[in-house]
Amino acid sequence: MIRLRALLFVAALLPCSFAAAAPGKAAIASAHKLATEAGFDVLAAGGNAFDAAVAVSAALSVVEPQSSGIGGGAFFLVHRAKDGKQVLVDARETAPAATDAKAYLDANGELDRDKSVNGGLAAGIPGEPAALVWVAQHYGRLPLKQSLAPAIRLARDGFAPDARSLMRIGQRKDVIARDAGASALFLPGGEVPGAGWVLKNPDLARTLELIAERGHKGFYEGEFAEKLVAGVKKAGGNWSREDLAAYAVREREPIVFQYRGHKVVTAPPPSSGGIALAEMLNILQGYDLTRLDRVERTHLVVEAMRRAYRDRAEYLGDPDFVKMPVAELTSPLYAAGLRASIHPKKATPSDSLPGYMAPVQGTDTTHFSIIDADGNLAAVTQTVNLPFGAAVVVPGTGFVLNNEMDDFALKAGAPNAYGLVGADANAPRPGHRPLSSMTPTFVIGPERTLVIGTPGGSRIITMVLEGILAWFDGDAPQQLVDNKRFHHQYLPDVISTEKDAFTPAERKALQAMGHVLSEGEQPWGFMNAVDWNRKTGELRGGSDSRGVSGTALVR
Ligand code: GLY
């Protein structure tokens, strides 16, 4: 009798648990309304989160060409609800076989910044097209053709680039003007276009169609590959057909760790993001942050950032070639040792923790987050590095080439564009993937799930950290993406902050602890996050108000 009653009790709970196993609706947050809508179009056609991810990714390539695109790379973090599979599809660019670190030096043996960020030599072999094909084939439900259709339409029919895109064209005008293909596309009549200008890109529509019809080979082999190789050579680079034919995405096991009873699933190398995030959250796990005032808490968070950023440059590189102490760096025991080195009231000078600095990655990246009606999750960060990448468009292709070669430590001991030096683990070598900061992340707890990420160069990782901490404090996605931000990256030994991130009294108290603060005028990042409360069934999204076209929708 008791057993029967227990069974009836469990049966009464079942519908509720089943309801909680899937949200029934979907949430998408991306940097552009047209991209978010492209994702929903594909969901409405019967697609899942991964088809939607392909659609959003490709649409962003069209409508946000300064940030990411077919000529760049991406990390697709995937959680498949039906079997719990979690994987990072690594579509990071690779260095061509002809890579020679000396080619980036000037006559005096100094790093020539112009070569590492502008023109053909700056570009790695793109990974984004391979990712679109791979994700659609291995995780999607729809044919690639269907998921790419919204992006193809946008490229062919045109759209009005937003104020952010136009501002970026203005910033890179001089470099764009050096390249006939890039200026034909982005400088109509030789000038930075004004508001209301409609960008039609039939070449990009045709490139996407080629990928839709011929898959991976459409881009990486045959006539199209030949056209790319010739165009890159003309622009000063040195790709070969073999480089393109050899490109393949890698499926990597994510970095997984526990934080306050939740599973954090995040990007492994060649991202430095997941390891640094694990190190920081493992350190902070030892404190009850909720009991601390804002100054005490900021001090501890900054000390965690300082220690994680020191390690990331010293040890990390392409996992296909570099042996890394990943288990050690992400271990709670290691974090406990680091925590013990933190004085509760005094800043640790960075020069007392010797190490290297990683190159600071370019900020014109983009991130989108998706939860679908079945509970599948996709967190995708993709990039061409600096705005409009290398500012080279091979005629007839419709997309900019990345300038991801600058994410390598191009000259050991020499500062990169941001005045920072890097270690041998991330030296430029043929076939290697440069170290990245991109940190697409899931936080999965017994009741709630968060999907989060952002652009922002080397600040990506601390932004994701602050977003996660705010979520644990109870912030909704819209709040946590809008919060003011601060950042410390070991060197320079400074807490950089957005304007008004701290009150004058808080600044003074942090300075009294030995911290140096530097407040900037420019906002940072363009975070897009969604969450799902399995208890209430609620889905929410937030798109950073710093971006003019960002759109989070739940339907
Ligand atoms: N290029 C930006 C990053 O990979 O972090």
PDB file of all heavy atoms in Angstrom, residues 75 92 361-365 383-386 404 407 434-438 457-458 460, ligand 1:
ATOM      1  N   PHE A  75      33.835  29.717 -32.471  1.00  0.00           N
ATOM      2  CA  PHE A  75      33.680  28.588 -31.542  1.00  0.00           C
ATOM      3  C   PHE A  75      32.180  28.376 -31.330  1.00  0.00           C
ATOM      4  O   PHE A  75      31.491  29.284 -30.852  1.00  0.00           O
ATOM      5  CB  PHE A  75      34.317  28.892 -30.183  1.00  0.00           C
ATOM      6  CG  PHE A  75      35.811  29.003 -30.184  1.00  0.00           C
ATOM      7  CD1 PHE A  75      36.434  29.911 -29.347  1.00  0.00           C
ATOM      8  CD2 PHE A  75      36.604  28.197 -30.985  1.00  0.00           C
ATOM      9  CE1 PHE A  75      37.823  30.024 -29.327  1.00  0.00           C
ATOM     10  CE2 PHE A  75      37.997  28.306 -30.965  1.00  0.00           C
ATOM     11  CZ  PHE A  75      38.603  29.219 -30.136  1.00  0.00           C
ATOM     12  N   ARG A  92      38.466  27.772 -35.334  1.00  0.00           N
ATOM     13  CA  ARG A  92      39.469  28.836 -35.273  1.00  0.00           C
ATOM     14  C   ARG A  92      40.303  28.803 -36.553  1.00  0.00           C
ATOM     15  O   ARG A  92      40.560  27.715 -37.114  1.00  0.00           O
ATOM     16  CB  ARG A  92      40.361  28.570 -34.056  1.00  0.00           C
ATOM     17  CG  ARG A  92      41.390  29.637 -33.741  1.00  0.00           C
ATOM     18  CD  ARG A  92      40.778  30.863 -33.183  1.00  0.00           C
ATOM     19  NE  ARG A  92      41.749  31.743 -32.563  1.00  0.00           N
ATOM     20  CZ  ARG A  92      41.568  33.058 -32.429  1.00  0.00           C
ATOM     21  NH1 ARG A  92      40.461  33.647 -32.878  1.00  0.00           N
ATOM     22  NH2 ARG A  92      42.460  33.801 -31.833  1.00  0.00           N
ATOM     23  N   GLN A 361      43.464  40.146 -27.890  1.00  0.00           N
ATOM     24  CA  GLN A 361      42.745  39.871 -29.131  1.00  0.00           C
ATOM     25  C   GLN A 361      41.874  41.054 -29.533  1.00  0.00           C
ATOM     26  O   GLN A 361      41.436  41.817 -28.686  1.00  0.00           O
ATOM     27  CB  GLN A 361      41.874  38.623 -28.958  1.00  0.00           C
ATOM     28  CG  GLN A 361      42.672  37.336 -28.989  1.00  0.00           C
ATOM     29  CD  GLN A 361      43.278  36.965 -27.667  1.00  0.00           C
ATOM     30  OE1 GLN A 361      42.976  37.566 -26.651  1.00  0.00           O
ATOM     31  NE2 GLN A 361      44.147  35.975 -27.680  1.00  0.00           N
ATOM     32  N   GLY A 362      41.635  41.142 -30.830  1.00  0.00           N
ATOM     33  CA  GLY A 362      40.820  42.235 -31.367  1.00  0.00           C
ATOM     34  C   GLY A 362      39.405  42.201 -30.823  1.00  0.00           C
ATOM     35  O   GLY A 362      38.897  41.147 -30.438  1.00  0.00           O
ATOM     36  N   THR A 363      38.789  43.367 -30.808  1.00  0.00           N
ATOM     37  CA  THR A 363      37.507  43.480 -30.109  1.00  0.00           C
ATOM     38  C   THR A 363      36.304  43.312 -31.017  1.00  0.00           C
ATOM     39  O   THR A 363      35.179  43.318 -30.539  1.00  0.00           O
ATOM     40  CB  THR A 363      37.415  44.854 -29.447  1.00  0.00           C
ATOM     41  OG1 THR A 363      37.677  45.826 -30.448  1.00  0.00           O
ATOM     42  CG2 THR A 363      38.426  45.003 -28.336  1.00  0.00           C
ATOM     43  N   ASP A 364      36.514  43.199 -32.315  1.00  0.00           N
ATOM     44  CA  ASP A 364      35.318  43.164 -33.154  1.00  0.00           C
ATOM     45  C   ASP A 364      34.839  41.774 -33.470  1.00  0.00           C
ATOM     46  O   ASP A 364      34.785  41.325 -34.610  1.00  0.00           O
ATOM     47  CB  ASP A 364      35.466  44.060 -34.366  1.00  0.00           C
ATOM     48  CG  ASP A 364      34.809  45.348 -33.990  1.00  0.00           C
ATOM     49  OD1 ASP A 364      33.612  45.485 -34.197  1.00  0.00           O
ATOM     50  OD2 ASP A 364      35.494  46.155 -33.348  1.00  0.00           O
ATOM     51  N   THR A 365      34.467  41.183 -32.408  1.00  0.00           N
ATOM     52  CA  THR A 365      33.963  39.825 -32.411  1.00  0.00           C
ATOM     53  C   THR A 365      32.472  39.944 -32.150  1.00  0.00           C
ATOM     54  O   THR A 365      31.976  41.020 -31.859  1.00  0.00           O
ATOM     55  CB  THR A 365      34.742  39.111 -31.280  1.00  0.00           C
ATOM     56  OG1 THR A 365      36.117  39.161 -31.612  1.00  0.00           O
ATOM     57  CG2 THR A 365      34.314  37.709 -31.010  1.00  0.00           C
ATOM     58  N   THR A 383      34.426  35.666 -35.075  1.00  0.00           N
ATOM     59  CA  THR A 383      35.241  36.884 -35.187  1.00  0.00           C
ATOM     60  C   THR A 383      35.994  36.976 -36.506  1.00  0.00           C
ATOM     61  O   THR A 383      36.255  35.954 -37.165  1.00  0.00           O
ATOM     62  CB  THR A 383      36.282  36.899 -34.034  1.00  0.00           C
ATOM     63  OG1 THR A 383      36.958  38.147 -34.022  1.00  0.00           O
ATOM     64  CG2 THR A 383      37.300  35.784 -34.152  1.00  0.00           C
ATOM     65  N   VAL A 384      36.327  38.244 -36.882  1.00  0.00           N
ATOM     66  CA  VAL A 384      37.387  38.475 -37.880  1.00  0.00           C
ATOM     67  C   VAL A 384      38.536  39.239 -37.228  1.00  0.00           C
ATOM     68  O   VAL A 384      39.424  39.745 -37.904  1.00  0.00           O
ATOM     69  CB  VAL A 384      36.875  39.244 -39.127  1.00  0.00           C
ATOM     70  CG1 VAL A 384      35.986  38.343 -39.991  1.00  0.00           C
ATOM     71  CG2 VAL A 384      36.160  40.534 -38.765  1.00  0.00           C
ATOM     72  N   ASN A 385      38.487  39.383 -35.892  1.00  0.00           N
ATOM     73  CA  ASN A 385      39.489  40.075 -35.069  1.00  0.00           C
ATOM     74  C   ASN A 385      39.236  41.578 -35.063  1.00  0.00           C
ATOM     75  O   ASN A 385      38.214  42.009 -34.558  1.00  0.00           O
ATOM     76  CB  ASN A 385      40.911  39.705 -35.479  1.00  0.00           C
ATOM     77  CG  ASN A 385      41.907  39.967 -34.352  1.00  0.00           C
ATOM     78  OD1 ASN A 385      41.541  39.886 -33.182  1.00  0.00           O
ATOM     79  ND2 ASN A 385      43.128  40.305 -34.671  1.00  0.00           N
ATOM     80  N   LEU A 386      40.127  42.411 -35.592  1.00  0.00           N
ATOM     81  CA  LEU A 386      39.891  43.862 -35.553  1.00  0.00           C
ATOM     82  C   LEU A 386      38.737  44.226 -36.495  1.00  0.00           C
ATOM     83  O   LEU A 386      38.364  43.412 -37.351  1.00  0.00           O
ATOM     84  CB  LEU A 386      41.165  44.609 -35.975  1.00  0.00           C
ATOM     85  CG  LEU A 386      42.380  44.456 -35.061  1.00  0.00           C
ATOM     86  CD1 LEU A 386      43.567  45.224 -35.639  1.00  0.00           C
ATOM     87  CD2 LEU A 386      42.099  44.933 -33.654  1.00  0.00           C
ATOM     88  N   GLU A 404      43.568  37.451 -37.968  1.00  0.00           N
ATOM     89  CA  GLU A 404      43.785  36.648 -36.760  1.00  0.00           C
ATOM     90  C   GLU A 404      45.250  36.297 -36.524  1.00  0.00           C
ATOM     91  O   GLU A 404      45.616  35.870 -35.430  1.00  0.00           O
ATOM     92  CB  GLU A 404      42.955  35.360 -36.898  1.00  0.00           C
ATOM     93  CG  GLU A 404      42.259  34.945 -35.654  1.00  0.00           C
ATOM     94  CD  GLU A 404      41.228  35.940 -35.182  1.00  0.00           C
ATOM     95  OE1 GLU A 404      40.216  36.123 -35.876  1.00  0.00           O
ATOM     96  OE2 GLU A 404      41.427  36.523 -34.111  1.00  0.00           O
ATOM     97  N   ASP A 407      46.745  37.496 -33.416  1.00  0.00           N
ATOM     98  CA  ASP A 407      46.475  36.869 -32.112  1.00  0.00           C
ATOM     99  C   ASP A 407      47.590  35.910 -31.690  1.00  0.00           C
ATOM    100  O   ASP A 407      47.594  35.395 -30.571  1.00  0.00           O
ATOM    101  CB  ASP A 407      45.123  36.134 -32.125  1.00  0.00           C
ATOM    102  CG  ASP A 407      43.964  37.089 -31.858  1.00  0.00           C
ATOM    103  OD1 ASP A 407      44.213  38.282 -31.605  1.00  0.00           O
ATOM    104  OD2 ASP A 407      42.804  36.645 -31.892  1.00  0.00           O
ATOM    105  N   PRO A 434      45.832  30.329 -33.531  1.00  0.00           N
ATOM    106  CA  PRO A 434      46.265  31.332 -32.543  1.00  0.00           C
ATOM    107  C   PRO A 434      45.371  31.296 -31.305  1.00  0.00           C
ATOM    108  O   PRO A 434      44.183  30.964 -31.397  1.00  0.00           O
ATOM    109  CB  PRO A 434      46.105  32.663 -33.285  1.00  0.00           C
ATOM    110  CG  PRO A 434      45.096  32.410 -34.349  1.00  0.00           C
ATOM    111  CD  PRO A 434      45.206  30.951 -34.722  1.00  0.00           C
ATOM    112  N   LEU A 435      45.968  31.651 -30.176  1.00  0.00           N
ATOM    113  CA  LEU A 435      45.213  31.687 -28.920  1.00  0.00           C
ATOM    114  C   LEU A 435      44.102  32.729 -29.014  1.00  0.00           C
ATOM    115  O   LEU A 435      44.293  33.799 -29.573  1.00  0.00           O
ATOM    116  CB  LEU A 435      46.184  32.048 -27.789  1.00  0.00           C
ATOM    117  CG  LEU A 435      45.718  31.776 -26.366  1.00  0.00           C
ATOM    118  CD1 LEU A 435      45.466  30.283 -26.150  1.00  0.00           C
ATOM    119  CD2 LEU A 435      46.767  32.284 -25.367  1.00  0.00           C
ATOM    120  N   SER A 436      42.959  32.393 -28.436  1.00  0.00           N
ATOM    121  CA  SER A 436      41.790  33.277 -28.484  1.00  0.00           C
ATOM    122  C   SER A 436      41.318  33.573 -27.072  1.00  0.00           C
ATOM    123  O   SER A 436      41.661  32.856 -26.128  1.00  0.00           O
ATOM    124  CB  SER A 436      40.680  32.568 -29.267  1.00  0.00           C
ATOM    125  OG  SER A 436      39.471  33.269 -29.173  1.00  0.00           O
ATOM    126  N   SER A 437      40.516  34.609 -26.938  1.00  0.00           N
ATOM    127  CA  SER A 437      39.846  34.869 -25.659  1.00  0.00           C
ATOM    128  C   SER A 437      38.366  34.496 -25.714  1.00  0.00           C
ATOM    129  O   SER A 437      37.660  34.650 -24.709  1.00  0.00           O
ATOM    130  CB  SER A 437      39.940  36.357 -25.313  1.00  0.00           C
ATOM    131  OG  SER A 437      41.260  36.703 -25.021  1.00  0.00           O
ATOM    132  N   MET A 438      37.881  34.072 -26.863  1.00  0.00           N
ATOM    133  CA  MET A 438      36.429  33.865 -27.003  1.00  0.00           C
ATOM    134  C   MET A 438      35.954  32.799 -26.009  1.00  0.00           C
ATOM    135  O   MET A 438      36.548  31.723 -25.920  1.00  0.00           O
ATOM    136  CB  MET A 438      36.105  33.461 -28.435  1.00  0.00           C
ATOM    137  CG  MET A 438      36.464  34.566 -29.435  1.00  0.00           C
ATOM    138  SD  MET A 438      35.816  34.284 -31.085  1.00  0.00           S
ATOM    139  CE  MET A 438      36.816  32.923 -31.653  1.00  0.00           C
ATOM    140  N   GLY A 457      37.716  41.288 -27.086  1.00  0.00           N
ATOM    141  CA  GLY A 457      39.154  41.029 -27.011  1.00  0.00           C
ATOM    142  C   GLY A 457      39.517  40.352 -25.705  1.00  0.00           C
ATOM    143  O   GLY A 457      38.797  39.473 -25.220  1.00  0.00           O
ATOM    144  N   SER A 458      40.629  40.778 -25.122  1.00  0.00           N
ATOM    145  CA  SER A 458      41.084  40.090 -23.902  1.00  0.00           C
ATOM    146  C   SER A 458      40.148  40.360 -22.727  1.00  0.00           C
ATOM    147  O   SER A 458      40.244  39.689 -21.701  1.00  0.00           O
ATOM    148  CB  SER A 458      42.502  40.525 -23.561  1.00  0.00           C
ATOM    149  OG  SER A 458      42.527  41.920 -23.396  1.00  0.00           O
ATOM    150  N   ILE A 460      37.013  39.782 -22.872  1.00  0.00           N
ATOM    151  CA  ILE A 460      35.881  38.847 -22.975  1.00  0.00           C
ATOM    152  C   ILE A 460      35.766  38.023 -21.696  1.00  0.00           C
ATOM    153  O   ILE A 460      34.685  37.863 -21.125  1.00  0.00           O
ATOM    154  CB  ILE A 460      36.066  37.898 -24.187  1.00  0.00           C
ATOM    155  CG1 ILE A 460      35.858  38.641 -25.501  1.00  0.00           C
ATOM    156  CG2 ILE A 460      35.113  36.699 -24.085  1.00  0.00           C
ATOM    157  CD1 ILE A 460      36.147  37.803 -26.750  1.00  0.00           C
TER     158      ILE A 460
HETATM  159  N1  GLY B   1      40.170  37.633 -32.149  1.00  0.00           N
HETATM  160  C1  GLY B   1      39.457  37.669 -30.922  1.00  0.00           C
HETATM  161  C2  GLY B   1      39.681  36.445 -30.095  1.00  0.00           C
HETATM  162  O1  GLY B   1      39.899  35.396 -30.655  1.00  0.00           O
HETATM  163  O2  GLY B   1      39.673  36.494 -28.906  1.00  0.00           O
END
